[in-house]
Protein backbone atom coordinates (compact mmCIF):
# COMPACT_ATOMS: atom_id res chain seq x y z
CA UNK A 1 0.00 0.00 0.00
CA UNK A 2 2.90 2.38 0.77
CA UNK A 3 4.20 1.92 -2.78
CA UNK A 4 0.80 2.71 -4.28
CA UNK A 5 0.49 5.81 -2.06
CA UNK A 6 3.93 6.96 -3.12
CA UNK A 7 3.00 6.53 -6.78
CA UNK A 8 -0.22 8.50 -6.27
CA UNK A 9 1.67 11.32 -4.53
CA UNK A 10 4.27 11.46 -7.26
CA UNK A 11 2.06 11.61 -10.33
CA UNK A 12 2.82 15.28 -10.89
CA UNK A 13 6.53 14.57 -11.10
CA UNK A 14 6.47 11.21 -12.83
CA UNK A 15 5.57 10.47 -16.40
CA UNK A 16 2.89 7.86 -17.14
CA UNK A 17 5.67 5.57 -18.28
CA UNK A 18 7.44 5.79 -14.93
CA UNK A 19 4.21 5.25 -13.03
CA UNK A 20 3.60 2.09 -14.97
CA UNK A 21 7.13 0.95 -14.20
CA UNK A 22 6.65 1.52 -10.48
CA UNK A 23 3.27 -0.19 -10.56
CA UNK A 24 4.89 -3.22 -12.14
CA UNK A 25 6.92 -3.67 -8.95
CA UNK A 26 3.73 -4.56 -7.05
CA UNK A 27 3.76 -7.91 -8.90
CA UNK A 28 6.29 -10.34 -7.42
CA UNK A 29 6.28 -12.93 -10.22
CA UNK A 30 7.20 -12.97 -13.90
CA UNK A 31 4.23 -12.98 -16.30
CA UNK A 32 4.76 -14.85 -19.59
CA UNK A 33 2.33 -15.46 -22.47
CA UNK A 34 2.58 -16.69 -26.06
CA UNK A 35 3.43 -19.65 -28.26
CA UNK A 36 2.14 -23.14 -27.49
CA UNK A 37 5.29 -24.52 -29.17
CA UNK A 38 7.66 -22.59 -26.90
CA UNK A 39 5.41 -23.19 -23.86
CA UNK A 40 6.86 -26.60 -22.84
CA UNK A 41 10.42 -25.30 -23.10
CA UNK A 42 9.58 -22.19 -21.07
CA UNK A 43 7.76 -24.31 -18.49
CA UNK A 44 10.82 -26.50 -17.91
CA UNK A 45 13.02 -23.40 -17.49
CA UNK A 46 10.46 -21.75 -15.17
CA UNK A 47 10.16 -24.81 -12.93
CA UNK A 48 13.94 -25.12 -12.61
CA UNK A 49 14.20 -21.39 -12.02
CA UNK A 50 11.68 -21.58 -9.17
CA UNK A 51 13.53 -24.50 -7.55
CA UNK A 52 17.05 -23.11 -7.83
CA UNK A 53 16.57 -19.37 -7.24
CA UNK A 54 15.09 -17.11 -4.59
CA UNK A 55 12.30 -16.04 -6.99
CA UNK A 56 8.76 -17.26 -7.60
CA UNK A 57 8.02 -19.69 -10.42
CA UNK A 58 6.99 -17.56 -13.43
CA UNK A 59 3.36 -17.72 -14.50
CA UNK A 60 3.09 -18.92 -18.12
CA UNK A 61 -0.01 -18.92 -20.32
CA UNK A 62 -0.25 -20.63 -23.71
CA UNK A 63 -2.08 -18.06 -25.84
CA UNK A 64 -0.48 -18.64 -29.25
CA UNK A 65 2.20 -16.40 -30.74
CA UNK A 66 -0.21 -13.84 -32.19
CA UNK A 67 -2.34 -13.71 -29.05
CA UNK A 68 0.73 -13.36 -26.87
CA UNK A 69 2.20 -10.51 -28.88
CA UNK A 70 -1.14 -8.70 -28.78
CA UNK A 71 -1.15 -8.91 -24.97
CA UNK A 72 2.55 -8.01 -24.77
CA UNK A 73 2.03 -4.90 -26.88
CA UNK A 74 -0.87 -3.55 -24.79
CA UNK A 75 1.48 -1.40 -22.76
CA UNK A 76 3.89 -1.20 -19.82
CA UNK A 77 2.85 -1.99 -16.26
CA UNK A 78 1.77 -4.72 -13.85
CA UNK A 79 -1.29 -5.69 -15.90
CA UNK A 80 0.76 -6.53 -18.99
CA UNK A 81 3.12 -9.47 -19.61
CA UNK A 82 6.87 -9.16 -19.13
CA UNK A 83 7.71 -11.76 -21.78
CA UNK A 84 5.95 -13.30 -24.75
CA UNK A 85 7.05 -16.54 -26.40
CA UNK A 86 6.79 -16.83 -30.18
CA UNK A 87 7.28 -19.56 -32.76
CA UNK A 88 7.80 -16.91 -35.42
CA UNK A 89 9.52 -13.54 -35.66
CA UNK A 90 7.58 -10.50 -34.49
CA UNK A 91 5.83 -8.67 -37.36
CA UNK A 92 6.46 -5.01 -38.22
CA UNK A 93 2.78 -4.29 -37.50
CA UNK A 94 3.23 -5.74 -34.00
CA UNK A 95 6.33 -3.64 -33.37
CA UNK A 96 4.26 -0.59 -34.41
CA UNK A 97 1.43 -1.59 -32.04
CA UNK A 98 3.93 -1.96 -29.20
CA UNK A 99 5.43 1.46 -29.91
CA UNK A 100 1.99 3.05 -30.08
CA UNK A 101 1.27 1.72 -26.58
CA UNK A 102 4.61 2.74 -25.08
CA UNK A 103 6.43 -0.58 -25.42
CA UNK A 104 9.54 0.69 -27.17
CA UNK A 105 12.62 -1.11 -25.84
CA UNK A 106 12.18 -4.79 -26.74
CA UNK A 107 14.79 -7.52 -26.57
CA UNK A 108 14.38 -10.32 -29.11
CA UNK A 109 15.86 -13.63 -27.92
CA UNK A 110 16.21 -16.51 -30.37
CA UNK A 111 16.39 -19.77 -28.40
CA UNK A 112 16.79 -22.36 -31.17
CA UNK A 113 14.95 -24.10 -33.98
CA UNK A 114 11.96 -26.35 -34.43
CA UNK A 115 10.46 -28.32 -37.27
CA UNK A 116 6.76 -28.47 -38.00
CA UNK A 117 5.65 -32.08 -38.16
CA UNK A 118 2.84 -33.37 -40.33
CA UNK A 119 2.06 -36.46 -38.30
CA UNK A 120 -0.34 -39.37 -37.97
CA UNK A 121 -0.86 -42.34 -35.67
CA UNK A 122 1.80 -45.05 -35.60
CA UNK A 123 -1.08 -47.46 -36.20
CA UNK A 124 -1.20 -46.14 -39.78
CA UNK A 125 1.08 -46.01 -42.80
CA UNK A 126 3.84 -43.40 -42.73
CA UNK A 127 3.29 -40.89 -45.53
CA UNK A 128 5.94 -39.62 -47.92
CA UNK A 129 4.59 -36.43 -49.44
CA UNK A 130 5.74 -33.25 -51.11
CA UNK A 131 5.02 -29.62 -50.31
CA UNK A 132 2.88 -29.58 -53.46
CA UNK A 133 0.81 -32.47 -52.04
CA UNK A 134 0.25 -30.54 -48.81
CA UNK A 135 -0.87 -27.42 -50.65
CA UNK A 136 -3.12 -29.39 -53.01
CA UNK A 137 -4.75 -31.16 -50.07
CA UNK A 138 -5.29 -28.16 -47.80
CA UNK A 139 -5.56 -25.03 -49.97
CA UNK A 140 -8.92 -23.31 -50.21
CA UNK A 141 -8.39 -22.66 -53.93
CA UNK A 142 -6.40 -24.82 -56.35
CA UNK A 143 -5.83 -24.66 -60.13
CA UNK A 144 -7.94 -26.93 -62.33
CA UNK A 145 -6.67 -28.66 -65.49
CA UNK A 146 -6.94 -25.35 -67.37
CA UNK A 147 -5.14 -23.33 -64.73
CA UNK A 148 -8.29 -21.66 -63.40
CA UNK A 149 -8.68 -21.32 -59.64
CA UNK A 150 -11.50 -23.41 -58.18
CA UNK A 151 -12.70 -24.44 -54.73
CA UNK A 152 -10.63 -27.41 -53.59
CA UNK A 153 -12.41 -30.55 -54.88
CA UNK A 154 -10.03 -33.11 -53.35
CA UNK A 155 -11.71 -35.44 -50.88
CA UNK A 156 -9.06 -38.13 -50.43
CA UNK A 157 -5.28 -38.28 -50.46
CA UNK A 158 -5.47 -40.33 -53.62
CA UNK A 159 -7.24 -37.40 -55.29
CA UNK A 160 -4.18 -35.31 -54.43
CA UNK A 161 -1.58 -37.83 -55.56
CA UNK A 162 -2.38 -41.26 -57.11
CA UNK A 163 0.47 -42.81 -55.11
CA UNK A 164 -1.22 -41.96 -51.81
CA UNK A 165 -3.99 -43.97 -50.07
CA UNK A 166 -7.68 -43.36 -50.80
CA UNK A 167 -8.33 -42.17 -47.25
CA UNK A 168 -10.32 -39.05 -46.43
CA UNK A 169 -8.34 -35.81 -46.01
CA UNK A 170 -8.70 -34.94 -42.35
CA UNK A 171 -6.09 -32.64 -40.78
CA UNK A 172 -6.09 -31.21 -37.26
CA UNK A 173 -4.17 -27.96 -37.11
CA UNK A 174 -3.59 -24.76 -35.15
CA UNK A 175 -5.78 -21.62 -35.31
CA UNK A 176 -4.78 -18.32 -36.99
CA UNK A 177 -3.42 -16.94 -33.68
CA UNK A 178 -0.73 -19.65 -33.65
CA UNK A 179 2.85 -19.10 -34.75
CA UNK A 180 2.85 -22.72 -35.90
CA UNK A 181 -0.01 -21.88 -38.27
CA UNK A 182 1.86 -18.81 -39.56
CA UNK A 183 5.01 -20.83 -40.17
CA UNK A 184 3.13 -23.73 -41.75
CA UNK A 185 1.36 -21.55 -44.31
CA UNK A 186 4.56 -19.66 -45.10
CA UNK A 187 6.89 -22.66 -45.35
CA UNK A 188 4.68 -25.57 -46.38
CA UNK A 189 1.62 -24.08 -48.07
CA UNK A 190 3.46 -21.34 -49.97
CA UNK A 191 6.30 -23.76 -50.71
CA UNK A 192 3.81 -26.10 -52.38
CA UNK A 193 1.89 -23.28 -54.04
CA UNK A 194 5.03 -22.20 -55.91
CA UNK A 195 5.24 -25.65 -57.48
CA UNK A 196 2.32 -24.59 -59.72
CA UNK A 197 3.88 -22.37 -62.45
CA UNK A 198 0.71 -20.32 -62.90
CA UNK A 199 0.57 -19.54 -59.17
CA UNK A 200 4.28 -18.77 -58.97
CA UNK A 201 3.84 -16.30 -61.83
CA UNK A 202 1.00 -14.64 -59.91
CA UNK A 203 3.48 -13.34 -57.32
CA UNK A 204 4.85 -10.80 -59.82
CA UNK A 205 1.44 -9.95 -61.27
CA UNK A 206 -0.63 -9.59 -58.10
CA UNK A 207 1.28 -10.12 -54.84
CA UNK A 208 -1.79 -9.65 -52.66
CA UNK A 209 -3.79 -12.27 -54.55
CA UNK A 210 -0.79 -14.61 -54.59
CA UNK A 211 -0.54 -14.48 -50.80
CA UNK A 212 -4.29 -14.96 -50.36
CA UNK A 213 -4.24 -18.05 -52.58
CA UNK A 214 -1.02 -19.57 -51.28
CA UNK A 215 -1.85 -18.99 -47.60
CA UNK A 216 -5.58 -19.73 -47.82
CA UNK A 217 -6.62 -22.94 -46.01
CA UNK A 218 -9.86 -24.70 -46.90
CA UNK A 219 -12.88 -24.31 -44.61
CA UNK A 220 -15.01 -27.25 -45.73
CA UNK A 221 -14.12 -29.61 -42.89
CA UNK A 222 -10.95 -31.18 -44.32
CA UNK A 223 -8.88 -28.88 -42.08
CA UNK A 224 -10.05 -28.71 -38.46
CA UNK A 225 -8.84 -25.99 -36.12
CA UNK A 226 -7.86 -27.84 -32.96
CA UNK A 227 -6.89 -24.94 -30.71
CA UNK A 228 -3.54 -24.16 -29.09
CA UNK A 229 -3.27 -27.47 -27.20
CA UNK A 230 -0.87 -29.62 -29.21
CA UNK A 231 -1.15 -32.46 -26.69
CA UNK A 232 -4.86 -32.67 -27.51
CA UNK A 233 -4.02 -33.08 -31.22
CA UNK A 234 -1.69 -35.97 -30.34
CA UNK A 235 -4.48 -37.64 -28.34
CA UNK A 236 -6.92 -37.25 -31.23
CA UNK A 237 -4.47 -38.75 -33.71
CA UNK A 238 -3.98 -41.72 -31.42
CA UNK A 239 -7.75 -42.20 -31.38
CA UNK A 240 -8.25 -41.63 -35.13
CA UNK A 241 -5.63 -43.44 -37.29
CA UNK A 242 -6.90 -41.78 -40.49
CA UNK A 243 -6.31 -38.21 -39.31
CA UNK A 244 -3.17 -36.05 -39.48
CA UNK A 245 -2.00 -33.29 -37.20
CA UNK A 246 0.25 -30.25 -37.50
CA UNK A 247 2.46 -29.36 -34.54
CA UNK A 248 6.05 -28.69 -33.49
CA UNK A 249 8.78 -31.33 -33.56
CA UNK A 250 9.12 -31.35 -29.76
CA UNK A 251 5.59 -32.78 -29.44
CA UNK A 252 6.43 -35.44 -32.02
CA UNK A 253 9.61 -36.28 -30.16
CA UNK A 254 7.86 -36.49 -26.78
CA UNK A 255 5.07 -38.70 -28.18
CA UNK A 256 7.06 -40.95 -30.52
CA UNK A 257 5.33 -44.00 -29.05
CA UNK A 258 1.98 -42.76 -30.42
CA UNK A 259 2.63 -40.66 -33.55
CA UNK A 260 5.03 -40.49 -36.49
CA UNK A 261 6.04 -37.64 -38.77
CA UNK A 262 5.51 -37.87 -42.51
CA UNK A 263 8.54 -37.63 -44.75
CA UNK A 264 8.37 -34.37 -46.67
CA UNK A 265 10.25 -34.48 -49.97
CA UNK A 266 11.79 -37.70 -48.67
CA UNK A 267 13.13 -36.17 -45.45
CA UNK A 268 11.90 -37.19 -42.00
CA UNK A 269 11.46 -34.56 -39.27
CA UNK A 270 14.45 -35.55 -37.14
CA UNK A 271 16.64 -33.56 -34.76
CA UNK A 272 19.53 -33.70 -37.24
CA UNK A 273 17.48 -32.87 -40.37
CA UNK A 274 15.92 -29.83 -38.72
CA UNK A 275 19.26 -28.68 -37.37
CA UNK A 276 21.05 -28.87 -40.73
CA UNK A 277 18.12 -27.37 -42.66
CA UNK A 278 17.43 -30.38 -44.89
CA UNK A 279 13.92 -30.78 -43.47
CA UNK A 280 11.91 -28.24 -45.48
CA UNK A 281 9.46 -27.10 -42.78
CA UNK A 282 11.74 -25.66 -40.10
CA UNK A 283 11.56 -22.34 -38.21
CA UNK A 284 13.21 -20.30 -35.45
CA UNK A 285 11.78 -19.99 -31.93
CA UNK A 286 11.90 -16.78 -29.86
CA UNK A 287 10.85 -14.93 -26.78
CA UNK A 288 10.54 -11.15 -26.39
CA UNK A 289 11.30 -9.16 -23.24
CA UNK A 290 10.22 -5.68 -22.11
CA UNK A 291 13.26 -3.65 -21.09
CA UNK A 292 10.96 -1.38 -19.04
CA UNK A 293 10.09 -4.28 -16.73
CA UNK A 294 13.63 -5.57 -16.25
CA UNK A 295 14.49 -3.35 -13.29
CA UNK A 296 11.19 -3.70 -11.43
CA UNK A 297 9.97 -7.29 -11.84
CA UNK A 298 11.81 -9.53 -9.36
CA UNK A 299 13.84 -12.21 -11.11
CA UNK A 300 13.15 -11.12 -14.69
CA UNK A 301 16.80 -10.52 -15.58
CA UNK A 302 17.79 -13.74 -13.86
CA UNK A 303 15.13 -15.76 -15.70
CA UNK A 304 16.31 -14.44 -19.08
CA UNK A 305 19.85 -15.37 -18.12
CA UNK A 306 18.78 -18.87 -17.02
CA UNK A 307 16.82 -19.50 -20.25
CA UNK A 308 19.72 -18.45 -22.47
CA UNK A 309 22.44 -20.26 -20.53
CA UNK A 310 24.52 -22.93 -22.22
CA UNK A 311 23.11 -25.34 -19.64
CA UNK A 312 19.62 -24.72 -21.05
CA UNK A 313 19.92 -24.09 -24.81
CA UNK A 314 23.46 -25.25 -25.59
CA UNK A 315 24.31 -28.37 -27.60
CA UNK A 316 24.21 -30.48 -24.45
CA UNK A 317 21.55 -28.39 -22.72
CA UNK A 318 18.56 -29.86 -20.97
CA UNK A 319 16.15 -28.34 -23.52
CA UNK A 320 17.80 -30.33 -26.31
CA UNK A 321 16.56 -33.41 -24.47
CA UNK A 322 13.05 -31.95 -24.80
CA UNK A 323 13.32 -31.51 -28.58
CA UNK A 324 14.73 -27.98 -28.97
CA UNK A 325 17.22 -27.80 -31.85
CA UNK A 326 20.21 -25.73 -30.59
CA UNK A 327 21.66 -22.61 -32.18
CA UNK A 328 25.16 -22.68 -33.61
CA UNK A 329 27.91 -21.72 -31.13
CA UNK A 330 28.36 -18.39 -32.91
CA UNK A 331 24.64 -17.54 -32.85
CA UNK A 332 24.32 -18.59 -29.22
CA UNK A 333 27.09 -16.17 -28.20
CA UNK A 334 25.30 -13.29 -29.95
CA UNK A 335 21.99 -14.21 -28.31
CA UNK A 336 23.67 -14.60 -24.94
CA UNK A 337 25.27 -11.16 -25.13
CA UNK A 338 21.92 -9.46 -25.81
CA UNK A 339 20.23 -11.53 -23.10
CA UNK A 340 22.75 -10.77 -20.36
CA UNK A 341 22.99 -7.07 -21.21
CA UNK A 342 19.27 -6.83 -22.00
CA UNK A 343 20.12 -4.76 -25.05
CA UNK A 344 17.04 -3.74 -27.12
CA UNK A 345 17.59 -5.09 -30.66
CA UNK A 346 14.44 -4.33 -32.67
Amino acid sequence: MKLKALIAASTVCLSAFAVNNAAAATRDYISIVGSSTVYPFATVVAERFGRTSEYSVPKIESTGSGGGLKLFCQGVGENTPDITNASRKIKSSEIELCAKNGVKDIIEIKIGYDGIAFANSKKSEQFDITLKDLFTALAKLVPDANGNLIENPNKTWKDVNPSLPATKIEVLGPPPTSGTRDAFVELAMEGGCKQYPELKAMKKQDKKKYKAVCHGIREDGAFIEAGENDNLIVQKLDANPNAFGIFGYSFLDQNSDKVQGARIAGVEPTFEAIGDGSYPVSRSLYFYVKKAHAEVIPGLKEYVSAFTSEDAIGDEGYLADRGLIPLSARDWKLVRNDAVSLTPNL
Side-chain angles (χ1 to χ4, degrees):
M1 293 299 293
K2 286 183 179 180
L3 179 59
K4 290 185 176 178
L6 177 63
I7 293 169
S10 304
T11 50
V12 175
C13 302
L14 295 173
S15 67
F17 176 78
V19 170
N20 279 335
N21 254 7
T26 65
R27 174 157 51 74
D28 64 356
Y29 62 88
I30 300 166
S31 175
I32 305 171
V33 294
S35 165
S36 63
T37 300
V38 180
Y39 176 82
F41 302 129
T43 299
V44 172
V45 176
E47 289 172 350
R48 284 186 175 232
F49 182 72
R51 288 198 309 267
T52 60
S53 75
E54 62 186 277
Y55 304 105
S56 301
V57 176
K59 178 184 176 183
I60 308 177
E61 297 175 75
S62 178
T63 63
S65 297
L69 282 158
K70 185 176 181 181
L71 292 168
F72 182 82
C73 290
Q74 282 182 346
V76 174
E78 67 176 315
N79 295 321
T80 65
D82 311 307
I83 291 174
T84 188
N85 300 319
S87 56
R88 60 163 173 80
K89 197 171 180 67
I90 190 172
K91 298 176 182 177
S92 58
S93 60
E94 291 162 336
I95 294 174
E96 290 169 8
L97 176 63
C98 272
K100 179 182 176 183
N101 292 327
V103 184
K104 296 180 180 178
D105 292 325
I106 303 170
I107 302 99
E108 177 182 85
I109 307 290
K110 184 193 288 188
I111 61 168
Y113 305 99
D114 183 40
I116 300 175
F118 186 72
N120 65 344
S121 169
K122 293 196 84 167
K123 302 167 189 172
S124 300
E125 175 187 348
Q126 184 182 32
F127 268 35
D128 192 336
I129 56 177
T130 65
L131 293 180
K132 185 177 183 180
D133 292 336
L134 282 174
F135 175 78
T136 306
L138 298 177
K140 184 174 183 179
L141 301 173
V142 294
D144 64 12
N146 299 314
N148 299 311
L149 286 171
I150 59 170
E151 292 284 335
N152 196 327
N154 299 304
K155 304 297 182 186
T156 72
W157 288 102
K158 197 172 186 67
D159 295 335
V160 170
N161 185 330
S163 68
L164 297 175
T167 51
K168 180 183 175 184
I169 298 170
E170 188 175 0
V171 178
L172 302 165
T177 53
S178 168
T180 299
R181 168 79 164 256
D182 289 338
F184 180 77
V185 296
E186 182 178 336
L187 298 169
M189 294 290 288
E190 186 172 344
C193 181
K194 290 188 288 190
Q195 301 303 310
Y196 286 95
E198 60 269 42
L199 297 183
K200 185 178 181 180
M202 187 189 294
K203 187 173 185 178
K204 292 182 179 179
Q205 301 160 2
D206 190 337
K207 194 170 183 179
K208 189 174 181 180
K209 184 178 180 181
Y210 166 83
K211 186 173 180 180
V213 172
C214 291
H215 291 200
I217 293 182
R218 60 196 299 180
E219 301 170 347
D220 58 358
F223 181 88
I224 303 147
E225 288 184 9
E228 295 286 359
N229 189 339
D230 292 340
N231 282 314
L232 181 60
I233 297 180
V234 170
Q235 292 169 22
K236 289 185 176 182
L237 297 185
D238 190 42
N240 181 1
N242 290 326
F244 282 83
I246 298 167
F247 44 77
Y249 166 76
S250 61
F251 286 92
L252 176 67
D253 185 54
Q254 297 297 313
N255 295 278
S256 59
D257 58 325
K258 299 185 184 73
V259 293
Q260 61 191 348
R263 297 184 192 93
I264 297 181
V267 182
E268 289 196 40
T270 64
F271 189 93
E272 293 75 19
I274 295 165
D276 66 21
S278 58
Y279 182 69
V281 194
S282 303
R283 41 75 186 273
S284 302
L285 301 180
Y286 304 87
F287 67 85
Y288 294 87
V289 186
K290 284 178 186 168
K291 176 79 170 179
H293 286 201
E295 298 298 331
V296 289
I297 296 296
L300 181 56
K301 290 187 289 187
E302 290 80 3
Y303 171 82
V304 172
S305 180
F307 204 145
T308 58
S309 68
E310 192 170 11
D311 185 45
I313 63 172
D315 281 345
E316 305 298 326
Y318 61 81
L319 291 183
D321 294 334
R322 300 295 182 119
L324 181 70
I325 315 300
L327 300 166
S328 68
R330 177 181 175 277
D331 286 348
W332 172 74
K333 286 178 182 177
L334 294 173
V335 166
R336 182 67 174 168
N337 286 340
D338 284 347
V340 171
S341 64
L342 287 176
T343 303
N345 52 10
L346 291 178

